Amino acid sequence: MALRKWIRRIWVTCGLAFIAWLAWNAQARGVDPALLASSAAVAVTDDGATLRFTPQRLQAPTGLIFLPGAAVDPVAYVPLLRAVADAGYAAVLVRLPWRAAPTASGQARVWARIAAVQAGPGPRAWVLAGHSRGAALSAQFAAQAPSGLAGLVLIGTTHPKRISLAALTLPVTKVYGTRDCVADTTATLANASLLPAATHWVRLEGANHQQFGWYGAQLGDCAAAMPRARQHAATVAAVLDALRRARGAT
């Protein structure tokens, strides 16, 4: 009995340590706090459900709605959204309930938050984007309500997998890294037939899963062969290109 108790304690301790490790690594890393503060060029507002970056002078009629990866601190994507806003595009991060929206009710709340952004003040057209779990949810939303979107950007994901977006007429961009071992290249390309034939593919040599955001180690990921700053810049460039090509953009 004593041995069983010790084994149980070891398992519990290891399990708690592993959960703590996951939670610690999911936190944002290296994000300049100034990016979360309003400036003369960009207003930053946070209502709990969304984190908005609004240029004081909008340069484009199209904005970005972004869904973060599962469990990842939303702040890890602030450098991306702030860069988009600095380029003159409104950018809105939609938080996922429980940081993953794992249930049908959670997904419904995400859909409602997206719809609220679309119906609110700001650009007349919105591109929906996401990383990992956020990209999977973006693909699902686009399948259900494509008419309200000007474009779709899927970053670091093998989705769509169980639904087909092949008939979508809106511009789609797929960004993937060759060192992404969470959404690996083979599985990503295997699902290409589920995307429109005109999908714009952005292949980042040496990019991994984790560095699409600014957070700690990603379980199951491979080490990047591309510096984080360069992967960030390439991702920003891909998103800005998608915004320029979006349906309804001028």
Side-chain angles (χ1 to χ4, degrees):
M1 292 295 293
L3 179 59
R4 289 183 179 178
K5 287 183 179 179
W6 275 107
I7 292 174
R8 187 179 298 112
R9 287 177 183 175
I10 291 171
W11 273 106
V12 170
T13 300
C14 289
L16 291 174
F18 179 66
I19 292 172
W21 180 85
L22 290 176
W24 185 79
N25 278 291
Q27 297 308 302
R29 299 277 191 278
V31 177
D32 185 350
L35 298 180
L36 283 160
S38 295
S39 68
V42 176
V44 181
T45 55
D46 188 347
D47 65 7
T50 60
L51 180 58
R52 295 172 179 255
F53 300 83
T54 307
Q56 300 292 1
R57 293 184 178 179
L58 286 174
Q59 301 298 314
T62 306
L64 178 73
I65 299 173
F66 188 88
L67 305 185
V72 179
D73 181 355
V75 173
Y77 300 98
V78 164
L80 170 61
L81 272 72
R82 187 60 184 257
V84 169
D86 285 340
Y89 296 89
V92 182
L93 184 146
V94 172
R95 288 187 171 89
L96 307 184
W98 299 99
R99 286 197 182 179
T103 64
S105 61
Q107 290 180 31
R109 288 169 64 189
V110 174
W111 296 174
R113 290 173 182 179
I114 294 173
V117 173
Q118 292 173 315
R124 68 168 185 261
W126 293 92
V127 170
L128 180 61
H131 171 232
S132 196
R133 170 65 173 166
L137 290 170
S138 296
Q140 186 174 345
F141 183 89
Q144 297 177 12
S147 61
L149 298 177
L152 178 67
V153 182
L154 306 176
I155 303 171
T157 182
T158 57
H159 288 264
K161 294 193 294 188
R162 299 179 185 86
I163 57 175
S164 177
L165 302 180
L168 282 185
T169 58
L170 57 86
V172 177
T173 296
K174 187 72 175 284
V175 183
Y176 68 102
T178 61
R179 295 287 295 168
D180 187 339
C181 294
V182 176
D184 68 271
T185 301
T186 300
T188 296
L189 297 178
N191 296 324
S193 63
L194 298 176
L195 290 168
T199 295
H200 180 59
W201 290 80
V202 179
R203 175 187 174 100
L204 300 184
E205 292 289 342
N208 71 353
H209 195 80
Q210 166 212 351
Q211 290 187 167
F212 282 119
W214 292 72
Y215 58 100
Q218 174 78 51
L219 184 66
D221 202 9
C222 291
M226 173 186 283
R228 181 187 291 277
R230 188 143 58 93
Q231 183 170 338
H232 167 71
T235 305
V236 170
V239 171
L240 290 177
D241 180 63
L243 285 163
R244 286 190 290 267
R245 295 186 300 105
R247 182 177 64 190
T250 57

mmCIF file of all heavy atoms in Angstrom, residues 54-88:
data_model
loop_
_atom_site.group_PDB
_atom_site.id
_atom_site.type_symbol
_atom_site.label_atom_id
_atom_site.label_comp_id
_atom_site.label_asym_id
_atom_site.label_seq_id
_atom_site.Cartn_x
_atom_site.Cartn_y
_atom_site.Cartn_z
ATOM 1 N N THR A 54 -6.865 50.441 -33.341
ATOM 2 C CA THR A 54 -7.521 51.263 -34.350
ATOM 3 C C THR A 54 -6.631 52.434 -34.747
ATOM 4 O O THR A 54 -6.331 53.297 -33.908
ATOM 5 C CB THR A 54 -8.858 51.815 -33.817
ATOM 6 O OG1 THR A 54 -9.658 50.729 -33.325
ATOM 7 C CG2 THR A 54 -9.607 52.549 -34.917
ATOM 8 N N PRO A 55 -6.181 52.473 -35.995
ATOM 9 C CA PRO A 55 -5.393 53.625 -36.448
ATOM 10 C C PRO A 55 -6.204 54.911 -36.310
ATOM 11 O O PRO A 55 -7.406 54.916 -36.597
ATOM 12 C CB PRO A 55 -5.099 53.301 -37.917
ATOM 13 C CG PRO A 55 -5.247 51.814 -38.016
ATOM 14 C CD PRO A 55 -6.334 51.462 -37.047
ATOM 15 N N GLN A 56 -5.554 55.968 -35.867
ATOM 16 C CA GLN A 56 -6.259 57.240 -35.743
ATOM 17 C C GLN A 56 -6.753 57.710 -37.099
ATOM 18 O O GLN A 56 -7.790 58.353 -37.210
ATOM 19 C CB GLN A 56 -5.329 58.289 -35.123
ATOM 20 C CG GLN A 56 -4.809 57.920 -33.727
ATOM 21 C CD GLN A 56 -5.905 57.925 -32.659
ATOM 22 O OE1 GLN A 56 -7.074 58.186 -32.933
ATOM 23 N NE2 GLN A 56 -5.524 57.623 -31.426
ATOM 24 N N ARG A 57 -6.001 57.344 -38.154
ATOM 25 C CA ARG A 57 -6.435 57.641 -39.521
ATOM 26 C C ARG A 57 -6.402 56.338 -40.320
ATOM 27 O O ARG A 57 -5.327 55.878 -40.704
ATOM 28 C CB ARG A 57 -5.517 58.679 -40.161
ATOM 29 C CG ARG A 57 -5.605 60.055 -39.527
ATOM 30 C CD ARG A 57 -4.744 61.056 -40.281
ATOM 31 N NE ARG A 57 -4.851 62.387 -39.713
ATOM 32 C CZ ARG A 57 -4.190 63.456 -40.175
ATOM 33 N NH1 ARG A 57 -3.386 63.297 -41.225
ATOM 34 N NH2 ARG A 57 -4.341 64.624 -39.600
ATOM 35 N N LEU A 58 -7.559 55.765 -40.525
ATOM 36 C CA LEU A 58 -7.621 54.522 -41.290
ATOM 37 C C LEU A 58 -7.158 54.772 -42.725
ATOM 38 O O LEU A 58 -7.630 55.688 -43.389
ATOM 39 C CB LEU A 58 -9.047 53.962 -41.298
ATOM 40 C CG LEU A 58 -9.543 53.308 -40.009
ATOM 41 C CD1 LEU A 58 -11.020 52.945 -40.149
ATOM 42 C CD2 LEU A 58 -8.741 52.073 -39.671
ATOM 43 N N GLN A 59 -6.250 53.905 -43.168
ATOM 44 C CA GLN A 59 -5.715 54.035 -44.525
ATOM 45 C C GLN A 59 -6.389 53.072 -45.494
ATOM 46 O O GLN A 59 -6.114 53.109 -46.691
ATOM 47 C CB GLN A 59 -4.204 53.761 -44.507
ATOM 48 C CG GLN A 59 -3.423 54.695 -43.608
ATOM 49 C CD GLN A 59 -3.518 56.139 -44.043
ATOM 50 O OE1 GLN A 59 -3.382 56.458 -45.223
ATOM 51 N NE2 GLN A 59 -3.771 57.031 -43.094
ATOM 52 N N ALA A 60 -7.247 52.185 -44.969
ATOM 53 C CA ALA A 60 -7.844 51.164 -45.830
ATOM 54 C C ALA A 60 -9.268 50.858 -45.379
ATOM 55 O O ALA A 60 -9.611 51.023 -44.209
ATOM 56 C CB ALA A 60 -7.002 49.892 -45.773
ATOM 57 N N PRO A 61 -10.127 50.419 -46.319
ATOM 58 C CA PRO A 61 -11.514 50.085 -45.984
ATOM 59 C C PRO A 61 -11.663 48.680 -45.408
ATOM 60 O O PRO A 61 -12.776 48.245 -45.136
ATOM 61 C CB PRO A 61 -12.218 50.196 -47.341
ATOM 62 C CG PRO A 61 -11.170 49.767 -48.316
ATOM 63 C CD PRO A 61 -9.868 50.287 -47.770
ATOM 64 N N THR A 62 -10.553 47.966 -45.276
ATOM 65 C CA THR A 62 -10.585 46.581 -44.812
ATOM 66 C C THR A 62 -9.833 46.444 -43.494
ATOM 67 O O THR A 62 -8.773 47.042 -43.319
ATOM 68 C CB THR A 62 -9.943 45.650 -45.861
ATOM 69 O OG1 THR A 62 -10.576 45.847 -47.109
ATOM 70 C CG2 THR A 62 -10.087 44.189 -45.452
ATOM 71 N N GLY A 63 -10.392 45.654 -42.561
ATOM 72 C CA GLY A 63 -9.750 45.424 -41.280
ATOM 73 C C GLY A 63 -9.493 43.950 -41.049
ATOM 74 O O GLY A 63 -9.917 43.095 -41.827
ATOM 75 N N LEU A 64 -8.782 43.659 -39.956
ATOM 76 C CA LEU A 64 -8.407 42.290 -39.613
ATOM 77 C C LEU A 64 -9.060 41.860 -38.311
ATOM 78 O O LEU A 64 -8.988 42.576 -37.302
ATOM 79 C CB LEU A 64 -6.886 42.187 -39.471
ATOM 80 C CG LEU A 64 -6.337 40.811 -39.067
ATOM 81 C CD1 LEU A 64 -6.438 39.836 -40.238
ATOM 82 C CD2 LEU A 64 -4.895 40.924 -38.593
ATOM 83 N N ILE A 65 -9.697 40.688 -38.334
ATOM 84 C CA ILE A 65 -10.179 40.029 -37.122
ATOM 85 C C ILE A 65 -9.299 38.800 -36.913
ATOM 86 O O ILE A 65 -9.140 37.994 -37.832
ATOM 87 C CB ILE A 65 -11.658 39.604 -37.242
ATOM 88 C CG1 ILE A 65 -12.548 40.822 -37.473
ATOM 89 C CG2 ILE A 65 -12.101 38.850 -35.986
ATOM 90 C CD1 ILE A 65 -14.001 40.469 -37.763
ATOM 91 N N PHE A 66 -8.733 38.648 -35.713
ATOM 92 C CA PHE A 66 -7.762 37.575 -35.487
ATOM 93 C C PHE A 66 -8.165 36.715 -34.291
ATOM 94 O O PHE A 66 -8.537 37.219 -33.227
ATOM 95 C CB PHE A 66 -6.375 38.175 -35.221
ATOM 96 C CG PHE A 66 -5.272 37.152 -35.165
ATOM 97 C CD1 PHE A 66 -4.606 36.769 -36.326
ATOM 98 C CD2 PHE A 66 -4.913 36.558 -33.962
ATOM 99 C CE1 PHE A 66 -3.594 35.804 -36.272
ATOM 100 C CE2 PHE A 66 -3.916 35.610 -33.903
ATOM 101 C CZ PHE A 66 -3.252 35.229 -35.069
ATOM 102 N N LEU A 67 -8.055 35.378 -34.478
ATOM 103 C CA LEU A 67 -8.340 34.414 -33.413
ATOM 104 C C LEU A 67 -7.030 33.744 -32.989
ATOM 105 O O LEU A 67 -6.310 33.203 -33.825
ATOM 106 C CB LEU A 67 -9.325 33.352 -33.903
ATOM 107 C CG LEU A 67 -10.653 33.839 -34.492
ATOM 108 C CD1 LEU A 67 -11.550 32.647 -34.818
ATOM 109 C CD2 LEU A 67 -11.352 34.793 -33.544
ATOM 110 N N PRO A 68 -6.704 33.755 -31.698
ATOM 111 C CA PRO A 68 -5.429 33.203 -31.217
ATOM 112 C C PRO A 68 -5.426 31.678 -31.133
ATOM 113 O O PRO A 68 -6.468 31.025 -31.247
ATOM 114 C CB PRO A 68 -5.289 33.824 -29.830
ATOM 115 C CG PRO A 68 -6.697 34.053 -29.385
ATOM 116 C CD PRO A 68 -7.471 34.411 -30.635
ATOM 117 N N GLY A 69 -4.237 31.123 -30.915
ATOM 118 C CA GLY A 69 -4.088 29.682 -30.752
ATOM 119 C C GLY A 69 -4.606 29.206 -29.405
ATOM 120 O O GLY A 69 -4.736 29.989 -28.455
ATOM 121 N N ALA A 70 -4.884 27.917 -29.289
ATOM 122 C CA ALA A 70 -5.432 27.342 -28.065
ATOM 123 C C ALA A 70 -4.451 27.481 -26.909
ATOM 124 O O ALA A 70 -3.252 27.196 -27.050
ATOM 125 C CB ALA A 70 -5.773 25.871 -28.276
ATOM 126 N N ALA A 71 -4.966 27.934 -25.774
ATOM 127 C CA ALA A 71 -4.229 28.068 -24.516
ATOM 128 C C ALA A 71 -3.231 29.217 -24.524
ATOM 129 O O ALA A 71 -2.729 29.610 -23.468
ATOM 130 C CB ALA A 71 -3.517 26.777 -24.145
ATOM 131 N N VAL A 72 -2.940 29.770 -25.688
ATOM 132 C CA VAL A 72 -1.913 30.806 -25.783
ATOM 133 C C VAL A 72 -2.449 32.140 -25.249
ATOM 134 O O VAL A 72 -3.572 32.541 -25.546
ATOM 135 C CB VAL A 72 -1.437 30.977 -27.238
ATOM 136 C CG1 VAL A 72 -0.373 32.081 -27.321
ATOM 137 C CG2 VAL A 72 -0.880 29.667 -27.763
ATOM 138 N N ASP A 73 -1.609 32.808 -24.475
ATOM 139 C CA ASP A 73 -1.917 34.145 -23.995
ATOM 140 C C ASP A 73 -2.175 35.048 -25.205
ATOM 141 O O ASP A 73 -1.310 35.182 -26.077
ATOM 142 C CB ASP A 73 -0.711 34.653 -23.203
ATOM 143 C CG ASP A 73 -0.914 36.046 -22.609
ATOM 144 O OD1 ASP A 73 -1.945 36.678 -22.886
ATOM 145 O OD2 ASP A 73 -0.011 36.486 -21.870
ATOM 146 N N PRO A 74 -3.348 35.672 -25.309
ATOM 147 C CA PRO A 74 -3.638 36.517 -26.469
ATOM 148 C C PRO A 74 -2.608 37.617 -26.697
ATOM 149 O O PRO A 74 -2.390 38.043 -27.838
ATOM 150 C CB PRO A 74 -5.012 37.107 -26.136
ATOM 151 C CG PRO A 74 -5.647 36.095 -25.241
ATOM 152 C CD PRO A 74 -4.515 35.560 -24.407
ATOM 153 N N VAL A 75 -1.947 38.056 -25.633
ATOM 154 C CA VAL A 75 -0.933 39.106 -25.766
ATOM 155 C C VAL A 75 0.203 38.662 -26.684
ATOM 156 O O VAL A 75 0.889 39.490 -27.283
ATOM 157 C CB VAL A 75 -0.400 39.515 -24.375
ATOM 158 C CG1 VAL A 75 0.784 40.484 -24.477
ATOM 159 C CG2 VAL A 75 -1.516 40.157 -23.551
ATOM 160 N N ALA A 76 0.380 37.344 -26.842
ATOM 161 C CA ALA A 76 1.446 36.826 -27.705
ATOM 162 C C ALA A 76 1.255 37.234 -29.164
ATOM 163 O O ALA A 76 2.203 37.164 -29.955
ATOM 164 C CB ALA A 76 1.500 35.303 -27.597
ATOM 165 N N TYR A 77 0.054 37.664 -29.530
ATOM 166 C CA TYR A 77 -0.218 38.060 -30.910
ATOM 167 C C TYR A 77 -0.305 39.578 -31.075
ATOM 168 O O TYR A 77 -0.571 40.066 -32.172
ATOM 169 C CB TYR A 77 -1.510 37.404 -31.392
ATOM 170 C CG TYR A 77 -1.444 35.893 -31.343
ATOM 171 C CD1 TYR A 77 -1.984 35.187 -30.276
ATOM 172 C CD2 TYR A 77 -0.791 35.179 -32.349
ATOM 173 C CE1 TYR A 77 -1.888 33.800 -30.211
ATOM 174 C CE2 TYR A 77 -0.702 33.798 -32.297
ATOM 175 C CZ TYR A 77 -1.253 33.116 -31.218
ATOM 176 O OH TYR A 77 -1.144 31.743 -31.162
ATOM 177 N N VAL A 78 -0.058 40.297 -30.000
ATOM 178 C CA VAL A 78 -0.108 41.754 -30.065
ATOM 179 C C VAL A 78 0.909 42.334 -31.053
ATOM 180 O O VAL A 78 0.572 43.260 -31.808
ATOM 181 C CB VAL A 78 0.062 42.355 -28.653
ATOM 182 C CG1 VAL A 78 0.402 43.849 -28.718
ATOM 183 C CG2 VAL A 78 -1.217 42.149 -27.843
ATOM 184 N N PRO A 79 2.161 41.820 -31.108
ATOM 185 C CA PRO A 79 3.092 42.385 -32.102
ATOM 186 C C PRO A 79 2.571 42.301 -33.534
ATOM 187 O O PRO A 79 2.775 43.226 -34.331
ATOM 188 C CB PRO A 79 4.356 41.528 -31.914
ATOM 189 C CG PRO A 79 4.306 41.113 -30.479
ATOM 190 C CD PRO A 79 2.847 40.860 -30.220
ATOM 191 N N LEU A 80 1.872 41.216 -33.863
ATOM 192 C CA LEU A 80 1.304 41.062 -35.199
ATOM 193 C C LEU A 80 0.199 42.081 -35.434
ATOM 194 O O LEU A 80 0.184 42.793 -36.454
ATOM 195 C CB LEU A 80 0.771 39.641 -35.380
ATOM 196 C CG LEU A 80 -0.065 39.363 -36.630
ATOM 197 C CD1 LEU A 80 0.752 39.602 -37.895
ATOM 198 C CD2 LEU A 80 -0.603 37.938 -36.615
ATOM 199 N N LEU A 81 -0.738 42.174 -34.500
ATOM 200 C CA LEU A 81 -1.871 43.073 -34.697
ATOM 201 C C LEU A 81 -1.452 44.538 -34.664
ATOM 202 O O LEU A 81 -1.980 45.353 -35.420
ATOM 203 C CB LEU A 81 -2.961 42.797 -33.654
ATOM 204 C CG LEU A 81 -3.961 41.709 -34.075
ATOM 205 C CD1 LEU A 81 -3.333 40.321 -34.044
ATOM 206 C CD2 LEU A 81 -5.211 41.728 -33.204
ATOM 207 N N ARG A 82 -0.485 44.856 -33.816
ATOM 208 C CA ARG A 82 -0.027 46.248 -33.756
ATOM 209 C C ARG A 82 0.677 46.633 -35.061
ATOM 210 O O ARG A 82 0.528 47.755 -35.554
ATOM 211 C CB ARG A 82 0.903 46.440 -32.565
ATOM 212 C CG ARG A 82 1.319 47.905 -32.311
ATOM 213 C CD ARG A 82 0.091 48.787 -32.041
ATOM 214 N NE ARG A 82 0.436 50.191 -31.891
ATOM 215 C CZ ARG A 82 0.511 50.822 -30.706
ATOM 216 N NH1 ARG A 82 0.270 50.156 -29.580
ATOM 217 N NH2 ARG A 82 0.805 52.087 -30.653
ATOM 218 N N ALA A 83 1.441 45.706 -35.640
ATOM 219 C CA ALA A 83 2.101 45.976 -36.913
ATOM 220 C C ALA A 83 1.070 46.215 -38.012
ATOM 221 O O ALA A 83 1.258 47.083 -38.878
ATOM 222 C CB ALA A 83 3.013 44.815 -37.292
ATOM 223 N N VAL A 84 -0.024 45.453 -37.992
ATOM 224 C CA VAL A 84 -1.096 45.638 -38.969
ATOM 225 C C VAL A 84 -1.741 47.020 -38.791
ATOM 226 O O VAL A 84 -2.001 47.734 -39.762
ATOM 227 C CB VAL A 84 -2.144 44.520 -38.825
ATOM 228 C CG1 VAL A 84 -3.402 44.837 -39.636
ATOM 229 C CG2 VAL A 84 -1.560 43.182 -39.268
ATOM 230 N N ALA A 85 -1.970 47.390 -37.528
ATOM 231 C CA ALA A 85 -2.564 48.699 -37.252
ATOM 232 C C ALA A 85 -1.618 49.826 -37.641
ATOM 233 O O ALA A 85 -2.049 50.860 -38.170
ATOM 234 C CB ALA A 85 -2.937 48.807 -35.775
ATOM 235 N N ASP A 86 -0.329 49.643 -37.398
ATOM 236 C CA ASP A 86 0.656 50.658 -37.775
ATOM 237 C C ASP A 86 0.669 50.871 -39.294
ATOM 238 O O ASP A 86 1.049 51.944 -39.775
ATOM 239 C CB ASP A 86 2.049 50.256 -37.299
ATOM 240 C CG ASP A 86 2.232 50.442 -35.793
ATOM 241 O OD1 ASP A 86 1.459 51.204 -35.192
ATOM 242 O OD2 ASP A 86 3.149 49.805 -35.224
ATOM 243 N N ALA A 87 0.261 49.837 -40.034
ATOM 244 C CA ALA A 87 0.202 49.940 -41.495
ATOM 245 C C ALA A 87 -1.096 50.594 -41.974
ATOM 246 O O ALA A 87 -1.300 50.746 -43.183
ATOM 247 C CB ALA A 87 0.359 48.560 -42.125
ATOM 248 N N GLY A 88 -1.977 50.961 -41.036
ATOM 249 C CA GLY A 88 -3.199 51.676 -41.392
ATOM 250 C C GLY A 88 -4.467 50.857 -41.404
ATOM 251 O O GLY A 88 -5.535 51.353 -41.781
#
